[in-house]
Amino acid sequence: VKYSPTITEWDAKKRKEHIIGIQLHGNAIHYFKDKKFVIKGNCIYFLNRKEDYRVKVLEQGTAISVHFTTYDEIDIESFSLVV
């Protein structure tokens, strides 16, 4: 999925799919229950479907992501890495 948000804030709750992707440009803060991180240009991220979060877009951008499910639950928490 190539994604460019058209809104500046939203909640992501009870999602059915995990997301792994790369942010091409722009940035947004992702607020989780006990952590937050900024996804910005050249950032790789994984968003576990078990974790709800809120997004606030700071600069409009574009990301490419893969949305997927698995037979077994993934025990890895959501994360982002700047490359």
Side-chain angles (χ1 to χ4, degrees):
V1 174
K2 185 175 181 182
Y3 179 70
S4 295
T6 57
I7 56 176
T8 58
E9 293 188 31
W10 67 90
D11 291 322
K13 294 185 177 184
K14 298 183 181 178
R15 293 174 296 113
K16 295 181 180 179
E17 300 171 327
H18 303 289
I19 301 171
I20 191 164
I22 185 165
Q23 185 74 21
L24 302 175
H25 58 87
N27 61 64
I29 300 176
H30 288 59
Y31 298 94
F32 293 82
K33 181 179 178 182
D34 57 353
K35 64 185 170 209
K36 75 175 183 177
F37 49 80
V38 176
I39 293 179
K40 56 186 178 180
N42 294 322
C43 181
I44 295 171
Y45 55 89
F46 168 72
L47 304 174
N48 191 309
R49 70 181 183 184
K50 294 188 296 183
E51 294 183 87
D52 295 337
Y53 58 90
R54 178 163 187 71
V55 179
K56 181 175 182 178
V57 175
L58 303 175
E59 177 187 1
Q60 292 288 48
T62 302
I64 296 174
S65 61
V66 176
H67 300 226
F68 65 99
T69 60
T70 57
Y71 290 111
D72 297 321
E73 286 298 323
I74 295 177
D75 293 332
I76 299 169
E77 292 185 3
S78 298
F79 65 86
S80 65
L81 301 169
V82 178
V83 292

